[in-house]
Amino acid sequence: MLKIEDLKVSYKSMEGDIEVLQGLDLEIQKGECLGLAGESGCGKTTVGLSITRLIPAHIIASISGRILFHGMDILSMDIEEVRRVRGKKISYVFQDPFTSLNPVLTIYRQIEECLKDHTDREARIAELLEGVGLSKIVGNKKVYPHELSGGMQQRVMIAMAIASNPELLILDEPTTALDVTSQNQILNLILELKNKMGLTILFITHNLKTIFRVSERIAIMYAGRIVEIAETDELKSKPAHPYTIGLIDSLPSLAHRKKRFNAIEGKAPSFLDMPVGCKFYPRCRFKLDRCRDVEPRLNWFSDNHASRCFRVEELIGHGIDKGP
Amino acid sequence: MELIKVHNLKKIFHRQRIVAVDNVSFSIFKGEIFGIMGESGCGKSTLAKSILRLIDPEDGMVLYKGENLLEASSPRMRALRKFLQIIFQDSYASLDPRATIGATLEEVFIIHDRLTKAQRRKKTEEILELVGLDRTFFKRLPFEISGGERQRVGIARALATDPEFIICDEPVSNLDISIQAQILNLLMDLQKRKNLTYLFISHDPDVISSICDRVAVMRRGKIIEMGLCEDLFNNPKDDYTKALLNT
């Protein structure tokens, strides 16, 4: 449904242009939920914003490549064409629902605004509110954003995003600002809507646990690159990139009792000061000398599993002791 | 040894008519990591602040080695604060944006110890090293460093007075997974090395389970279930706890 080819994005900054994405390729299949995971500042939101052309023009130094949506290149569309797609066929839900809502308008009015062209608005709004489980609360039309909890606000954002029956829904950290219970309710809602409406979802997050629950496939990003792509179960059981292995080892769980985590040391590199070879080299447990000078390519070693690591065969063949 | 004993502690926000902490009692033993788990708004941060008298509770007792903090005079309380510290969730909001990391940490020694400038400088560098930051951080400002590094500064500030008891109020919930694991490791290492006692607050059962010895589940200002982590997580009794764990 959506195919990103060789996407390059650079931002302007005081210290010169920053190349955040350097030729990113990614495909989203119809009907799937693809998880895009990585640490803050790794470029994952840039991917989402590029698809919807939402990056403010004045901070872009350059952008190139192709983003094909049903064969049409979003990047070469003029703004009128973009508007016919954005919000209608592709919707976006942001991390912080409170700043995305207008504080001085009622929730009802804001949902109504998304449905300007609709003839039977009242019925449609009722249906949307029912769909996200808010009929009882927002039904009286007089509720303002600050009167709702974070989880409810996020439900409103989702209702607005699906109002136009989009084909692709981009969720950018939709549960990060919420606590565990509301997080789970939102995830259940997303799964339910996906099944009911046949939505295709790009789920952007730094929280591996949430995408383990909702995504069929996962792409792991590091320093502006995709370092691993696999189906969720395979990624969990056979991670093939040292970064993914480190992330999985870093996950707290009920089973993990009072032990040190096998954590990834150090921090992600700055885009202004990138290592020459593999970008993960300084933090890697499995590094070789050549990783310092040469960056590995994304290697599709099976039909649906790729990793950007020279030692992929050893990692999946358990040739390397993954312990500390 | 019972280091902290909280007895029938109560905090009411009169204007909002909310009983944020409702007759809460528990004890924390020396060298233990005691968890408080609950959803946002359940009163867990209010409880933390009431224990340290950062806000004043209405009623109850907080005993530190048998001494009731709620009745301590203000000079006495100031002296005791040296041993009772807190690490906040939002590391950025809890640092002065215009003070360098070095100045922020040195201030602790100005308040609590009578040291020369050179001694203060040396102690600050030691404490930075203890939390895994090199001396280049001395001259940096809060906005120049990452969230994980800022949280290390928050930990350094709490450790600077050589405390016995530290409240960690959601110290990792704003951090990326890989950084979260580093900070949890650091907290566990320091606890062992210095035989510290923590009250560790989190909404995340996975995080609590990973670090705590015992846990209390809090809901609407009350503790509804309390026990060893192994027992409580494997065999929760209360329906609310079950719901929290199943989600």
Side-chain angles (χ1 to χ4, degrees), chain B residues 163-185:
Chain B
E164 223 176 342
F165 174 67
I166 302 180
I167 295 183
C168 310
D169 189 358
E170 298 264 17
V172 295
S173 56
N174 284 351
L175 304 174
D176 280 319
I177 302 274
S178 71
I179 306 299
Q180 176 179 306
Q182 290 177 1
I183 297 293
L184 289 174
N185 278 348

Short mmCIF file of all heavy atoms in Angstrom, two decimals, chain B residues 163-185:
data_model
loop_
_atom_site.label_atom_id
_atom_site.label_comp_id
_atom_site.label_asym_id
_atom_site.label_seq_id
_atom_site.Cartn_x
_atom_site.Cartn_y
_atom_site.Cartn_z
N PRO B 163 22.90 10.09 51.85
CA PRO B 163 21.65 9.81 52.57
C PRO B 163 21.53 8.33 52.93
O PRO B 163 22.29 7.50 52.45
CB PRO B 163 20.58 10.17 51.54
CG PRO B 163 21.23 9.87 50.22
CD PRO B 163 22.69 10.17 50.40
N GLU B 164 20.54 8.06 53.75
CA GLU B 164 20.25 6.68 54.12
C GLU B 164 19.03 6.18 53.36
O GLU B 164 18.90 5.00 53.05
CB GLU B 164 19.95 6.65 55.63
CG GLU B 164 20.58 5.50 56.31
CD GLU B 164 20.36 5.53 57.82
OE1 GLU B 164 20.00 6.58 58.39
OE2 GLU B 164 20.54 4.47 58.41
N PHE B 165 18.14 7.12 53.07
CA PHE B 165 16.85 6.78 52.50
C PHE B 165 16.57 7.69 51.31
O PHE B 165 16.73 8.90 51.39
CB PHE B 165 15.77 6.98 53.58
CG PHE B 165 14.36 6.81 53.10
CD1 PHE B 165 13.90 5.57 52.69
CD2 PHE B 165 13.48 7.89 53.08
CE1 PHE B 165 12.58 5.40 52.26
CE2 PHE B 165 12.16 7.73 52.66
CZ PHE B 165 11.71 6.48 52.25
N ILE B 166 16.19 7.09 50.16
CA ILE B 166 15.88 7.89 48.98
C ILE B 166 14.52 7.50 48.44
O ILE B 166 14.22 6.32 48.26
CB ILE B 166 16.94 7.71 47.86
CG1 ILE B 166 18.34 8.06 48.38
CG2 ILE B 166 16.61 8.57 46.65
CD1 ILE B 166 19.43 7.89 47.35
N ILE B 167 13.69 8.51 48.17
CA ILE B 167 12.43 8.25 47.48
C ILE B 167 12.68 8.45 45.99
O ILE B 167 13.18 9.50 45.57
CB ILE B 167 11.33 9.21 47.96
CG1 ILE B 167 11.02 8.95 49.44
CG2 ILE B 167 10.07 9.04 47.11
CD1 ILE B 167 9.89 9.79 50.00
N CYS B 168 12.39 7.44 45.18
CA CYS B 168 12.54 7.54 43.73
C CYS B 168 11.12 7.64 43.16
O CYS B 168 10.39 6.66 43.15
CB CYS B 168 13.24 6.32 43.16
SG CYS B 168 14.76 5.87 44.00
N ASP B 169 10.74 8.84 42.72
CA ASP B 169 9.37 9.05 42.24
C ASP B 169 9.33 8.95 40.72
O ASP B 169 9.67 9.89 40.02
CB ASP B 169 8.88 10.43 42.72
CG ASP B 169 7.39 10.63 42.44
OD1 ASP B 169 6.77 9.72 41.86
OD2 ASP B 169 6.86 11.68 42.81
N GLU B 170 8.95 7.79 40.21
CA GLU B 170 8.90 7.52 38.77
C GLU B 170 10.20 7.94 38.08
O GLU B 170 10.17 8.67 37.09
CB GLU B 170 7.74 8.28 38.12
CG GLU B 170 6.37 7.91 38.63
CD GLU B 170 5.64 6.88 37.77
OE1 GLU B 170 6.32 6.20 36.96
OE2 GLU B 170 4.44 6.72 37.94
N PRO B 171 11.34 7.46 38.54
CA PRO B 171 12.59 8.00 38.00
C PRO B 171 12.89 7.57 36.56
O PRO B 171 13.73 8.17 35.92
CB PRO B 171 13.66 7.44 38.94
CG PRO B 171 13.07 6.18 39.47
CD PRO B 171 11.59 6.43 39.57
N VAL B 172 12.22 6.54 36.06
CA VAL B 172 12.56 6.08 34.70
C VAL B 172 11.42 6.20 33.71
O VAL B 172 11.56 5.80 32.55
CB VAL B 172 13.07 4.61 34.71
CG1 VAL B 172 14.37 4.51 35.48
CG2 VAL B 172 12.04 3.66 35.27
N SER B 173 10.27 6.77 34.12
CA SER B 173 9.14 6.66 33.20
C SER B 173 9.21 7.63 32.02
O SER B 173 8.47 7.48 31.07
CB SER B 173 7.82 6.80 33.95
OG SER B 173 7.80 8.01 34.64
N ASN B 174 10.14 8.60 32.04
CA ASN B 174 10.26 9.46 30.86
C ASN B 174 11.40 9.04 29.94
O ASN B 174 11.75 9.76 29.02
CB ASN B 174 10.53 10.90 31.30
CG ASN B 174 9.28 11.58 31.80
OD1 ASN B 174 8.19 11.03 31.68
ND2 ASN B 174 9.43 12.75 32.38
N LEU B 175 11.99 7.88 30.18
CA LEU B 175 13.22 7.53 29.47
C LEU B 175 13.00 6.44 28.43
O LEU B 175 12.12 5.60 28.57
CB LEU B 175 14.28 7.07 30.48
CG LEU B 175 14.62 8.06 31.60
CD1 LEU B 175 15.56 7.42 32.60
CD2 LEU B 175 15.22 9.34 31.05
N ASP B 176 13.85 6.44 27.39
CA ASP B 176 13.85 5.35 26.42
C ASP B 176 14.24 4.05 27.10
O ASP B 176 14.97 4.05 28.09
CB ASP B 176 14.90 5.64 25.33
CG ASP B 176 14.38 6.64 24.31
OD1 ASP B 176 13.20 6.52 23.95
OD2 ASP B 176 15.14 7.51 23.90
N ILE B 177 13.78 2.93 26.48
CA ILE B 177 14.01 1.62 27.09
C ILE B 177 15.48 1.35 27.43
O ILE B 177 15.80 0.91 28.53
CB ILE B 177 13.53 0.49 26.14
CG1 ILE B 177 12.05 0.67 25.81
CG2 ILE B 177 13.83 -0.88 26.71
CD1 ILE B 177 11.09 0.07 26.77
N SER B 178 16.38 1.65 26.50
CA SER B 178 17.78 1.29 26.75
C SER B 178 18.35 2.14 27.90
O SER B 178 19.14 1.67 28.70
CB SER B 178 18.62 1.46 25.48
OG SER B 178 18.79 2.82 25.17
N ILE B 179 17.92 3.40 27.97
CA ILE B 179 18.39 4.29 29.03
C ILE B 179 17.74 3.91 30.36
O ILE B 179 18.36 3.94 31.42
CB ILE B 179 18.08 5.77 28.68
CG1 ILE B 179 18.64 6.11 27.29
CG2 ILE B 179 18.63 6.71 29.73
CD1 ILE B 179 20.13 5.98 27.15
N GLN B 180 16.47 3.52 30.29
CA GLN B 180 15.76 3.08 31.48
C GLN B 180 16.51 1.93 32.15
O GLN B 180 16.70 1.92 33.37
CB GLN B 180 14.35 2.62 31.06
CG GLN B 180 13.53 2.05 32.19
CD GLN B 180 12.14 1.64 31.72
OE1 GLN B 180 11.41 2.43 31.14
NE2 GLN B 180 11.77 0.42 31.98
N ALA B 181 16.96 0.98 31.35
CA ALA B 181 17.70 -0.17 31.90
C ALA B 181 19.00 0.29 32.55
O ALA B 181 19.38 -0.19 33.62
CB ALA B 181 17.97 -1.20 30.81
N GLN B 182 19.69 1.26 31.92
CA GLN B 182 20.93 1.78 32.51
C GLN B 182 20.67 2.42 33.88
O GLN B 182 21.41 2.21 34.83
CB GLN B 182 21.54 2.87 31.61
CG GLN B 182 22.13 2.37 30.32
CD GLN B 182 22.64 3.54 29.46
OE1 GLN B 182 22.56 4.70 29.85
NE2 GLN B 182 23.15 3.23 28.29
N ILE B 183 19.60 3.22 33.95
CA ILE B 183 19.31 3.93 35.20
C ILE B 183 18.89 2.94 36.29
O ILE B 183 19.30 3.05 37.45
CB ILE B 183 18.23 5.02 34.98
CG1 ILE B 183 18.72 6.09 34.00
CG2 ILE B 183 17.80 5.66 36.30
CD1 ILE B 183 19.86 6.95 34.51
N LEU B 184 18.07 1.94 35.92
CA LEU B 184 17.69 0.93 36.91
C LEU B 184 18.93 0.17 37.41
O LEU B 184 19.06 -0.09 38.60
CB LEU B 184 16.66 -0.05 36.32
CG LEU B 184 15.25 0.52 36.07
CD1 LEU B 184 14.37 -0.48 35.35
CD2 LEU B 184 14.59 0.97 37.37
N ASN B 185 19.84 -0.15 36.49
CA ASN B 185 21.10 -0.79 36.91
C ASN B 185 21.85 0.08 37.90
O ASN B 185 22.32 -0.40 38.93
CB ASN B 185 22.01 -1.03 35.70
CG ASN B 185 21.63 -2.30 34.95
OD1 ASN B 185 20.85 -3.11 35.44
ND2 ASN B 185 22.18 -2.47 33.76
#
